Amino acid sequence: MLVVGLLLIVGSALWFVLTGNTGVRYSADTDDTVPMWFRWIPVLAGVALVRLVPFPAAAITTTERQPRLEAGVLLALAVLFAVTLRLAGGGEPAHTLLKALLLLAVPAAMFWSLRRKGTAWRLAGGQLDAWRHWAPVIPVAAWGLLSYASPWAMPSSDFATTVDLVTLVLALVVGFLVNSLLEEVFYRRWLQSRWEAIIGRWPAIVLASLLWAAWHIAIQSSGDLPADLASTFVNQGILGLFLGYLWSKYRMMWPIVAVHGAVNAVPILLPLL
């Protein structure tokens, strides 16, 4: 999984370079593009800092068995979500309804059923010192500065200047809940964690990253499926490596939700600042 996944990402990047088109869409709200390394530089810095900041390796499981059933179901749901959303055209209300059903309702029902039977798999927990709880601030802050206050900054959006305050607040809150929070719970906390227990840290990170990237084809499609896949792999796929490593290393939700939330909200809020 690790080798195949990395080959897909590297092969996609080489394909863009060889075709002379290294621009990728950075948002579903615009057809504009940025060079693909605008995403890579902050991610590489963030991954390096996650690796360097002292922190004990997170435990993977509190049970001896491997969560093969849960991992398989979650994998199938991730694929089904990407496929059905693309077939539905990627717009609303299909986007939100399919997310609520496939990424939340069905997994929650499975976990509830398994817990009633006493066979549910659970992540290990533990007490953290205060400084360890805030250790992710360093890689998250570095990623944020490079992403939005550097020569490689993502372009801002004019959405905030075209709507009233109530609409803006509602859009940000709903977007945070439906996109940032729900996606990180499903792809990282649920799916990646269970596959880590089966195939190891980095293969699971790559698997979750590619699955998370793949569904974005539905909202950023150009009509050319191979090109769309390559674009998402070198864009969201690369960002997913950072998100996955943050989760695997620290086992805390706030760093990955903060990064994902910033991706969606900061370009909108920057013009107001």
Side-chain angles (χ1 to χ4, degrees), residues 215-229:
W215 83 259
H216 288 81
I217 293 175
I219 60 174
Q220 297 185 8
S221 176
S222 66
D224 184 343
L225 183 58
D228 290 338
L229 278 172

Side-chain angles (χ1 to χ4, degrees), residues 6 17 38 60 70-72 86 95 103 110 125 141 146-147 156 175 180 203 211 227 230 239 251 254 261 267 271:
L6 291 179
V17 171
F38 275 36
I60 294 178
E70 296 172 37
R86 186 169 187 271
H95 171 257
L103 304 191
M110 175 180 66
L146 290 172
S147 294
S156 60
S180 307
L211 289 170
L239 179 61
R251 285 292 191 256
W254 79 257

Side-chain angles (χ1 to χ4, degrees), residues 19-205:
T19 58
N21 180 19
T22 59
V24 294
R25 286 181 63 184
Y26 56 87
S27 172
D29 299 324
T30 178
D31 291 330
D32 294 340
T33 63
V34 296
M36 58 187 177
W37 48 80
F38 275 36
R39 186 74 83 188
W40 296 3
I41 293 173
V43 163
L44 291 175
V47 168
L49 287 170
V50 172
R51 177 68 180 85
L52 294 173
V53 173
F55 199 86
I60 294 178
T61 178
T62 55
T63 61
E64 294 182 359
R65 72 176 186 85
Q66 291 184 334
R68 295 185 181 276
L69 172 62
E70 296 172 37
V73 171
L74 293 172
L75 175 62
L77 289 172
V79 173
L80 183 61
F81 174 62
V83 172
T84 54
L85 184 60
R86 186 169 187 271
L87 293 176
E92 297 292 355
H95 171 257
T96 299
L97 291 177
L98 286 172
K99 261 188 183 175
L101 175 64
L102 299 177
L103 304 191
L104 179 60
V106 175
M110 175 180 66
F111 298 147
W112 177 78
S113 175
L114 292 175
R115 283 170 186 160
R116 287 193 64 189
K117 297 176 182 177
T119 59
W121 181 91
R122 300 195 179 195
L123 281 171
Q127 296 296 320
L128 299 175
D129 297 333
W131 77 269
R132 294 185 185 278
H133 185 80
W134 293 106
V137 167
I138 298 174
V140 169
W143 170 87
L145 289 172
L146 290 172
S147 294
Y148 300 105
S150 76
W152 310 285
M154 292 288 110
S156 60
S157 167
D158 62 354
F159 177 76
T161 62
T162 62
V163 298
D164 59 81
L165 180 60
V166 173
T167 301
L168 175 61
V169 172
L170 285 175
L172 291 174
V173 171
V174 173
F176 174 80
L177 295 175
V178 173
N179 299 319
S180 307
L181 183 58
L182 177 54
E183 287 178 31
E184 290 311 309
V185 168
F186 179 85
Y187 287 98
R188 250 62 69 171
R189 186 180 185 93
W190 290 348
L191 187 147
Q192 179 185 309
S193 298
R194 284 158 177 79
W195 280 101
E196 277 190 55
I198 299 172
I199 60 178
R201 168 179 282 175
W202 276 105
I205 290 174

